[in-house]
Amino acid sequence: MKLLKYLQYIFILFVLGVSIVILYLWNIQQNLPDHNISQYFPNEITKIYDEKYELMYHVGNRDRFYLDYKDIPRNMINAIISAEDKTFFQHQGFDIRGIVNAFIINLKNIYSKNNNNYVGASTITQQLVKNILLNRDQTISRKVKELILSLRIEREYSKEFIIELYLNEIYFGRRSYGVASASFNYFNKSIFDLDIHEYAYLAALPKGPNNYDPKKNYNRALDRRNYVLKQMEINEFITPEQFNFYSNLEIKLYEKNNKKYKSDYKTDFILNYLNSKSYNENAFYIQSTIDQNLQKISEKSLIDNLALFERRYRSWTGSFKNLEDILKYKNDHWQIARVINTSSNFIELSIVNTDEIIYLDKDKNIYGPNKTSPKNYLNSNDYIFVTEINNTFYAVQLHEIDGSVVIMDPFNGNIVSMVGGVNYEVSKFNRVTQAYRQPGSSIKPFIYAHALEAKKFLPNTLILDSDILLDQGKDLPVWVPKNYSNKSYGELTFRRALETSNNLVTLKIGLDLGLNSVNNFLEDINFYDKNTTTDVHSTLLGAVENNLLNIAKSYSIFLNGGYIVEPSIIKKVVSNDGELIINNEYFRCTYCSFSSEDRSYRVPIIKSQKEKVISPQTSFQILNILEGAIERGTGKSLNKIDYPIAGKTGTTNDSKDLWFFGLTPRYVIGVYVGYDTPKKIGYRETGSSVALPIFKSIIENYLLNNKNLNEKFIVPSDLIIKKVDKDSGMISDGQNSIIDYFTKEQLEILDNINRIKSIGGIN
């Protein structure tokens, strides 16, 4: 009887236990997440590339490139299953032997109460479930859920799809999610270019990336990698000979430079553009138009030239007593050095991090309005910034003045370089696009272009440079404009007036055209945003504010034959799933797409999507006059450079805003210099003295990196070359003559004028 009673109790307890387990499992199943992983796609970060597909910037915390199963190298798959789940292609979602072993260990941990962590025997499927459907809580409940979901997923999805998701989802360290990203971040190689020992190292990482960092514990990392190689040998994925060879190789990782992945003015501009379009995607692949070589040249040219310029007006305050303080402001183009000795003929310094010894030439490092020697403004153990220019080191300090540079392709609007300021970390205000300032004399070429288009002036028309009085309206004083030199020069040719940036002649041309006509022309070429121009005389001398990008865009018409181009910093944008979001093209093709089902074939018609605003003839005539400004006008400090350059300076009242726009056969290069809170830059400083040297550094370094360029400006075929006396404007082959370009109609007008003069009709 007692035995029967015990059996009854045991049966009741068994039924009760089974019921509890069933209720527990039923309750867990009610709260399980949807196991449908067919629509799951791992979030990728937005990646910005330059024009050559070199990665420039990551947006977000997770670096990932998604690979389909068929694209994942077999050695990578063999390595990961050897490391994590050698029976992956045989089991149904769990490894019973591993579970038993883990169960025994967990019971010991519970009994000893010395370890609260539970040990698992998770298969690849279970790890995938944990990563994308559950959390990482070390609880029995989570493990049960993981097991149930793994069984369901294994029933509904192929092994290939499961391991594909796993290898694209799992974290490998170094911000790398997925094997493709890990390959780049650890070895700087494509996943397809790795060797077997490198696949084995990546397969070793999911167990604990920080634990197997060779820098922290090389032997531990090596042991783990060799363990994976041994498992690959046991599973017959590699031969014993291969194991012996690869297990004796060092682990050599790529030292990733994260500096280039920092945000800056150009990446902000790109992301702001995407945000303005309200795209509903999580991430993008963005190919920008940026040329990183030109970008680096532009950045260094801007900060170096402005630092050297400020030496004229500022005293030295650029020394730091502590390395930590100066490191807050470090940039990629200046080095930090410690002063060692100031007593010799040269100032001796040591470059921080490399211990390289350099010397400052005292004569070339005179500083400030009092021309202070570096012996007097530097002390031993000071930390300072130094920059190297043409093999000479200069002491430099953080700027007070600021500026910007933009380089555009005038034929398609591509922005190949954008430098929005001297220090992005100090100020994220982008002076290429956000700083609206008076363009000053840089507006003049457009007024002269309108004059040629209106057929009221010829390139050699003589105009009297003399004082004029302008009524500004009721209750306003009469305006008496002056040339920059406060002098008048008598009669000047149309060409010579623009070459020398003459104010009075420009005003007379603008008044002859009419303020309303000039403003309409400026709106037609999109020089200003609509409705920003006003019928005031100072508009003719650039008094209405604009930004560097808008003006550079407008200067493109002189290089591309008179077409408006819209600036673009993006070539293509592709979404996570491969959809082409943006494709900037400047040609529209009708009948380019057809199939065999079409009833007839039509010849494709290709049309430019750019709007023509001036004739190619006017475009080149202004360009040629701006070449003259380089040869003998406001930009003559550039005339020794053996390369086609046209250019125009810009200077506003009191030298508050200074500009230079340089035109080459390939690029428009715009430079702006000024204070964020506008104030006088210096005594009689001009675009020639401050902005032009920045352009000069850019073009000289560009030519240094692109030797033997055989580029020329494109001359329209229907322009006629004549030799003209540069002072009188008469067609002449004398010593004072220069080459000028005319249309056939202009020469006919000139012939008629000369004919009338010859019969005494004009005095």
Side-chain angles (χ1 to χ4, degrees):
M1 291 295 293
K2 284 185 178 182
L3 179 61
L4 184 60
K5 185 174 289 188
Y6 285 140
L7 289 174
Q8 287 177 340
Y9 288 148
I10 291 171
F11 178 74
I12 293 171
L13 288 173
F14 174 76
V15 171
L16 184 61
V18 170
S19 300
I20 291 172
V21 170
I22 291 173
L23 286 172
Y24 175 72
L25 293 176
W26 181 85
N27 183 61
I28 282 180
Q29 290 197 74
Q30 295 302 306
N31 297 309
L32 285 176
D34 187 355
H35 67 282
N36 180 6
I37 59 172
S38 60
Q39 301 301 316
Y40 176 78
F41 193 89
N43 288 331
E44 299 188 70
I45 66 171
T46 293
K47 304 176 187 73
I48 301 176
Y49 301 87
D50 67 10
E51 62 168 358
K52 296 178 180 177
Y53 294 99
E54 176 74 20
L55 188 62
M56 293 195 312
Y57 182 54
H58 293 173
V59 186
N61 296 320
R62 296 191 172 193
D63 183 7
R64 191 197 316 272
F65 296 86
Y66 195 90
L67 291 174
D68 292 332
Y69 177 81
K70 61 183 175 59
D71 296 323
I72 301 171
R74 189 67 207 183
N75 278 324
M76 185 68 245
I77 293 172
N78 291 341
I80 202 73
I81 63 175
S82 296
E84 297 292 328
D85 187 1
K86 65 181 181 181
T87 61
F88 171 74
F89 285 101
Q90 287 79 45
H91 64 61
Q92 300 302 310
F94 65 95
D95 180 357
I96 189 64
R97 182 180 296 177
I99 290 174
V100 171
N101 289 336
F103 180 73
I104 294 171
I105 294 171
N106 288 334
L107 282 179
K108 290 180 179 179
N109 289 341
I110 293 170
Y111 180 76
S112 66
K113 298 182 180 180
N114 292 326
N115 192 337
N116 294 323
N117 291 322
Y118 293 96
V119 176
S122 296
T123 62
I124 282 175
T125 310
Q126 289 174 288
Q127 290 181 52
L128 179 66
V129 167
K130 178 175 64 179
N131 274 274
I132 68 175
L133 298 179
L134 298 174
N135 54 45
R136 295 179 175 273
D137 292 345
Q138 293 290 330
T139 62
I140 293 176
S141 175
R142 197 269 296 163
K143 291 296 293 183
V144 173
K145 290 179 181 180
E146 182 183 288
L147 179 60
I148 295 171
L149 288 169
S150 297
L151 291 169
R152 291 180 178 181
I153 286 172
E154 287 272 357
R155 284 200 305 266
E156 297 187 28
Y157 299 98
S158 69
K159 292 284 187 178
E160 291 76 12
F161 181 65
I162 292 169
I163 201 168
E164 172 189 313
L165 275 186
Y166 175 82
L167 285 173
N168 283 289
E169 170 63 30
I170 204 72
Y171 181 58
F172 286 84
R174 289 197 177 190
R175 295 180 63 198
S176 306
Y177 288 78
V179 289
S181 176
S183 176
F184 279 110
N185 291 338
Y186 280 96
F187 298 108
N188 198 31
K189 295 180 183 179
S190 164
I191 186 70
F192 310 109
D193 296 330
L194 298 186
D195 208 342
I196 288 173
H197 66 290
E198 293 167 325
Y199 289 119
Y201 179 75
L202 292 185
L205 292 171
K207 193 174 184 67
N210 290 329
N211 297 331
Y212 305 113
D213 183 345
K215 274 191 171 183
K216 295 179 180 177
N217 192 326
Y218 182 84
N219 290 333
R220 190 174 186 181
L222 186 67
D223 288 345
R224 176 65 181 166
R225 186 207 61 183
N226 288 349
Y227 165 79
V228 177
L229 286 170
K230 188 63 180 177
Q231 294 304 306
M232 292 179 74
E233 180 198 355
I234 292 171
N235 294 333
E236 299 183 349
F237 294 138
I238 60 175
T239 65
E241 291 76 19
Q242 286 178 307
F243 170 75
N244 290 332
F245 174 75
Y246 287 119
S247 62
N248 285 301
L249 295 179
E250 290 182 58
I251 299 175
K252 294 182 179 179
L253 302 184
Y254 165 64
E255 293 302 320
K256 183 178 175 183
N257 179 12
N258 286 311
K259 289 181 183 176
K260 67 180 179 180
Y261 301 133
K262 291 182 180 179
S263 60
D264 58 16
Y265 297 106
K266 61 185 183 295
T267 57
D268 280 358
F269 185 69
I270 292 169
L271 296 174
N272 288 338
Y273 175 82
L274 290 178
N275 290 336
S276 71
K277 299 301 180 182
S278 301
Y279 293 116
N280 296 319
E281 299 288 336
N282 292 323
F284 303 96
Y285 299 90
I286 303 166
Q287 184 193 8
S288 75
T289 58
I290 294 296
D291 179 327
Q292 293 216 69
N293 289 328
L294 269 175
Q295 180 70 25
K296 291 173 184 175
I297 288 172
S298 301
E299 290 171 356
K300 183 167 172 57
S301 297
L302 179 69
I303 65 174
D304 280 356
N305 279 279
L306 289 185
L308 296 182
F309 163 74
E310 282 196 304
R311 297 196 306 177
R312 304 179 203 171
Y313 299 100
R314 288 179 62 195
S315 297
W316 177 263
T317 58
S319 296
F320 293 80
K321 297 303 178 184
N322 299 310
L323 181 60
E324 294 76 15
D325 293 334
I326 195 171
L327 283 172
K328 297 175 184 176
Y329 303 101
K330 189 175 181 180
N331 66 57
D332 294 335
H333 303 286
W334 289 356
Q335 294 176 289
I336 296 173
R338 182 173 63 86
V339 179
I340 297 174
N341 184 7
T342 62
S343 60
S344 62
N345 291 331
F346 287 84
I347 308 299
E348 185 178 357
L349 303 97
S350 172
I351 299 295
V352 172
N353 296 330
T354 66
D355 294 327
E356 177 190 356
I357 301 299
I358 64 169
Y359 299 92
L360 297 182
D361 186 324
K362 290 187 294 186
D363 294 335
K364 292 183 179 180
N365 281 275
I366 299 298
Y367 215 96
N370 295 326
K371 302 187 183 305
T372 308
S373 168
K375 286 185 67 175
N376 297 323
Y377 66 76
L378 294 180
N379 299 303
S380 294
N381 294 318
D382 281 353
Y383 290 95
I384 67 168
F385 287 113
V386 294
T387 188
E388 187 176 9
I389 305 172
N390 297 327
N391 299 317
T392 299
F393 284 99
Y394 295 89
V396 286
Q397 63 179 333
L398 297 173
H399 308 78
E400 289 182 355
I401 200 168
D402 224 306
S404 54
V405 174
V406 67
I407 304 180
M408 274 183 57
D409 185 324
F411 301 99
N412 57 23
N414 285 349
I415 298 169
V416 296
S417 174
M418 175 183 282
V419 188
V422 296
N423 195 320
Y424 177 80
E425 299 302 322
V426 173
S427 169
K428 294 175 174 54
F429 181 69
N430 190 336
R431 294 153 192 85
V432 173
T433 60
Q434 295 176 299
Y436 280 78
R437 300 290 186 265
Q438 293 182 358
S441 302
S442 58
I443 198 176
K444 291 175 181 175
F446 304 99
I447 296 169
Y448 284 69
H450 181 38
L452 292 178
E453 283 287 287
K455 300 179 182 179
K456 288 196 171 186
F457 294 86
L458 305 176
N460 62 338
T461 300
L462 281 174
I463 307 152
L464 182 62
D465 172 20
S466 60
D467 290 341
I468 54 177
L469 305 178
L470 296 173
D471 182 6
Q472 299 187 89
K474 186 179 179 181
D475 300 327
L476 292 173
V478 173
W479 182 32
V480 185
K482 297 289 183 182
N483 289 323
Y484 179 76
S485 64
N486 285 325
K487 298 178 183 178
S488 297
Y489 298 92
E491 284 190 326
L492 293 175
T493 64
F494 181 91
R495 163 187 281 275
R496 187 62 181 159
L498 181 53
E499 286 179 352
T500 58
S501 196
N502 188 283
N503 288 341
L504 297 178
V505 171
T506 302
L507 284 168
K508 288 186 175 182
I509 292 172
L511 292 171
D512 196 328
L513 294 167
L515 289 177
N516 187 56
S517 176
V518 170
N519 286 337
N520 288 339
F521 177 76
L522 292 175
E523 285 194 4
D524 288 343
I525 66 172
N526 292 342
F527 186 84
Y528 288 114
D529 296 332
K530 288 188 181 296
N531 303 318
T532 57
T533 55
T534 55
D535 290 336
V536 294
H537 300 114
S538 57
T539 300
L540 300 172
L541 298 182
V544 179
E545 294 177 343
N546 207 343
N547 68 35
L548 182 63
L549 185 60
N550 279 343
I551 304 174
K553 171 199 72 177
S554 298
Y555 267 91
S556 294
I557 67 175
F558 302 131
L559 284 167
N560 64 24
Y563 290 92
I564 291 177
V565 294
E566 285 305 317
S568 173
I569 201 169
I570 294 174
K571 278 188 177 180
K572 292 182 181 179
V573 178
V574 178
S575 68
N576 264 343
D577 56 4
E579 180 186 358
L580 187 62
I581 304 295
I582 295 175
N583 185 20
N584 284 326
E585 295 178 346
Y586 277 87
F587 296 95
R588 182 176 66 253
C589 187
T590 307
Y591 311 130
C592 281
S593 299
F594 61 93
S595 69
S596 58
E597 298 178 357
D598 291 340
R599 297 180 62 183
S600 63
Y601 169 78
R602 296 187 180 185
V603 176
I605 301 172
I606 300 175
K607 293 182 179 179
S608 171
Q609 297 193 102
K610 298 179 289 186
E611 179 187 354
K612 195 174 192 178
V613 290
I614 60 173
S615 69
Q617 293 75 30
T618 296
S619 167
F620 182 80
Q621 284 177 315
I622 296 298
L623 178 66
N624 183 250
I625 292 173
L626 296 180
E627 273 192 280
I630 301 301
E631 292 174 21
R632 54 191 165 267
T634 55
K636 59 187 176 183
S637 61
L638 296 170
N639 61 17
K640 291 184 180 179
I641 297 176
D642 186 21
Y643 184 67
I645 300 173
K648 183 69 188 77
T649 55
T651 305
T652 62
N653 288 339
D654 295 326
S655 300
K656 290 182 179 179
D657 300 298
L658 305 177
W659 311 76
F660 185 77
F661 293 89
L663 312 180
T664 76
R666 184 170 294 186
Y667 298 119
V668 174
I669 302 176
V671 179
Y672 161 75
V673 176
Y675 291 97
D676 287 345
T677 301
K679 65 178 182 178
K680 189 171 184 176
I681 289 174
Y683 177 69
R684 296 186 67 79
E685 298 290 359
T686 65
S688 293
S689 64
V690 183
L692 183 148
I694 298 168
F695 168 84
K696 186 177 183 181
S697 292
I698 293 171
I699 202 66
E700 285 177 340
N701 281 282
Y702 168 71
L703 294 174
L704 195 64
N705 294 333
N706 297 272
K707 295 181 179 179
N708 302 318
L709 287 177
N710 188 26
E711 297 175 339
K712 296 180 180 179
F713 292 124
I714 300 171
V715 185
S717 58
D718 47 359
L719 280 177
I720 301 167
I721 297 175
K722 293 290 182 181
K723 287 188 175 181
V724 176
D725 185 278
K726 68 182 181 67
D727 294 325
S728 69
M730 297 293 291
I731 294 178
S732 167
D733 196 11
Q735 290 184 346
N736 201 36
S737 64
I738 59 172
I739 296 294
D740 214 337
Y741 293 82
F742 297 87
T743 65
K744 183 179 180 181
E745 183 182 7
Q746 286 172 338
L747 287 177
E748 289 173 352
I749 294 171
L750 197 58
D751 285 342
N752 288 333
I753 292 172
N754 290 333
R755 191 179 302 113
I756 293 171
K757 283 183 177 180
S758 67
I759 61 175
I762 295 179
N763 295 319

